[in-house]
Amino acid sequence: DKAGFKHFMAKEIAEQPAVLGNALAHYVKDGQINLPAGVAFAGLDRLTLVACGTAFYACSVAKYWFESLAGLPVEIDVASEFRYREPPMPARSWAIFVSQSGETADTLAALRYCQGKVEKTVAVVNVPTSSIAREADLALPILAGIEVGVASTKAFTCQLLVLALLALKAGHDRGHLDDAQLAAHLAALARLPGLIHQALAVAPEIEKLAEHLAEAQDVLFLGRGPMYPLALEGALKLKEISYIHAEGYASGELKHGPIALIDRTVPVVVMAPHDRLFDKTVSNMQEVLARHGQVLLVSDARGAAEAGAGTWACLRLPEVAEPFAPILYAIPAQLLAYYTAVAKGTDVDQPRNLAKSVTVE
Ligand code: M6R
């Protein structure tokens, strides 16, 4: 049931404030992170995060969080590489497998590879009865509800939320965050459903921009820090449902090659909240503007005031606590892909050549 929406994807994007609110209510009780008793990170030397597609980008964001909030070294890989690479696994480590369906063949094989080699395997899944959930030592549901659209939206933000809570738990367990710092981060997460609700109000603006984006042959997405994997996710979302060629890059990589692509016909989406890396990202954005690239700056009021001049368009999101910006900025990335696909008339919920669950390698 699309509940009055034109597509499941639109419904699932709109559901995010509610499902994230539910997940927060489940995992945070009386100001404390509510995870099963065995979830303790104090004695670990390393975490390994493995997934495919959008779930891999959630892991890629989480790597920044585990490192910065908990001082915990993290290795990430896509499951199809990880499983055949057969990497050595430190004994004092956990491996976390992130999957919406819980049935992705490569992710399941990666989980089986880690069994008996690491202290604990953990599944972060949407389908609690899935193979990955059943075979892991511990399964943590992301509580996104059924996701029908092939393009993952609410599962991505719910994966990020659960991973953020794990990173905060790790930070507290390892003495990187004291009680007050933990409380401040939890308060920042609690504000996200409201902020996402506000971000959804940008939809009409994005719908107008999408008409122009639909004409593009290539689109670049740029970001720095935890916004870099979000740039990768924005590009994946756009290509899978609008069939426009899109690439995500770390902003600092621009001058190492992709800047050669820039001309008047290439839109460049710059994901840049006004954070400590903002000036760096803006200087990369200026390099695009100097070559007549069409920049869509996705930022906040401060960022727009400082750097909006000369851009093709500028989206203003509410301000958000720095580490968790990728959760909020996922919304415009999803909406850009959605409205561009609608403008092109593609089959949004069932894009060509793709399946919701990839159970063969
Ligand atoms: O069910 P999973 O989360 O394991 O699926 C992983 C990918 O196949 C999936 O995220 C895919 O990239 C989506 N279509 C992206 O929107």
Side-chain angles (χ1 to χ4, degrees):
D1 175 18
K2 293 184 197 143
F5 287 90
K6 209 167 150 196
H7 300 98
F8 281 108
M9 184 179 177
K11 171 176 172 266
E12 288 160 3
I13 290 172
E15 279 171 353
Q16 289 175 105
V19 292
L20 286 166
N22 287 343
L24 273 164
H26 178 90
Y27 283 110
V28 185
K29 297 236 160 80
D30 304 321
Q32 301 292 323
I33 300 176
N34 177 38
L35 285 161
V39 181
F41 294 88
L44 297 186
D45 295 330
R46 199 180 81 187
L47 270 188
T48 300
L49 304 177
V50 181
C52 298
T54 286
F56 173 69
Y57 296 139
C59 295
S60 310
V61 171
K63 175 181 168 77
Y64 287 83
W65 290 337
F66 280 107
E67 290 176 352
S68 65
L69 298 168
L72 184 54
V74 173
E75 198 210 349
I76 50 171
D77 205 352
V78 290
S80 55
E81 284 302 311
F82 181 87
R83 64 181 289 194
Y84 293 114
R85 196 156 62 82
E86 301 189 343
M89 302 299 293
R92 278 154 49 104
S93 72
W94 286 13
I96 303 183
F97 303 87
V98 181
S99 175
Q100 187 287 128
S101 63
E103 300 297 347
T104 300
D106 284 322
T107 310
L108 181 58
L111 162 64
R112 289 178 178 157
Y113 172 77
C114 287
Q115 275 158 344
K117 297 188 180 70
V118 298
E119 227 170 69
K120 201 190 280 282
T121 55
V122 181
V124 174
V125 286
N126 198 29
V127 181
T129 52
S130 59
S131 307
I132 291 173
R134 278 185 281 111
E135 292 196 24
D137 296 328
L138 173 71
L140 299 173
I142 60 165
L143 305 167
I146 293 172
E147 190 181 67
V148 177
V150 164
S152 186
T153 53
K154 62 177 180 170
F156 177 64
T157 47
C158 287
Q159 286 162 352
L160 286 176
L161 178 68
V162 172
L163 291 166
L165 289 166
L166 289 172
L168 291 176
K169 176 76 170 63
H172 197 245
D173 288 351
R174 298 167 67 81
H176 257 250
L177 300 175
D178 62 23
D179 290 351
Q181 288 167 318
L182 175 64
H185 284 303
L186 288 176
L189 285 179
R191 286 193 291 275
L192 274 171
L195 296 178
I196 290 179
H197 183 77
Q198 289 179 46
L200 289 167
V202 185
E205 245 179 286
I206 294 183
E207 188 171 6
K208 279 196 212 108
L209 299 174
E211 274 170 37
H212 178 70
L213 226 50
E215 311 281 305
Q217 296 264 321
D218 307 281
V219 178
L220 293 183
F221 286 75
L222 302 180
R224 259 182 198 266
M227 302 305 288
Y228 160 44
L230 195 74
L232 299 173
E233 166 63 4
L236 174 67
K237 211 96 296 174
L238 186 68
K239 69 186 130 190
E240 77 176 325
I241 59 168
S242 77
Y243 316 147
I244 293 173
H245 171 243
E247 296 296 334
Y249 277 98
S251 306
E253 276 290 294
L254 190 69
K255 57 168 77 61
H256 299 286
I259 198 164
L261 297 172
I262 304 293
D263 67 17
R264 284 174 211 283
T265 67
V266 180
V268 181
V269 181
V270 180
M271 298 282 192
H274 196 285
D275 59 15
R276 81 199 153 87
L277 298 173
F278 183 73
D279 292 344
K280 301 273 176 208
T281 307
V282 166
S283 82
N284 303 128
M285 188 184 97
Q286 301 296 353
E287 291 160 9
V288 174
L289 291 173
R291 285 155 188 88
H292 310 289
Q294 309 170 48
V295 170
L296 167 54
L297 175 62
V298 185
S299 187
D300 45 38
R302 270 199 295 169
E306 276 180 33
T311 59
W312 160 50
C314 190
L315 293 173
R316 288 165 187 76
L317 298 186
E319 295 209 1
V320 55
E322 179 161 346
F324 307 124
I327 303 181
L328 181 65
Y329 281 63
I331 308 305
Q334 297 164 355
L335 290 170
L336 268 176
Y338 175 72
Y339 284 115
T340 304
V342 169
K344 291 197 70 173
T346 58
D347 188 345
V348 171
D349 286 332
Q350 289 288 324
R352 67 187 182 198
N353 310 338
L354 289 172
K356 181 68 184 158
S357 178
V358 183
T359 54
V360 290
E361 63 174 296

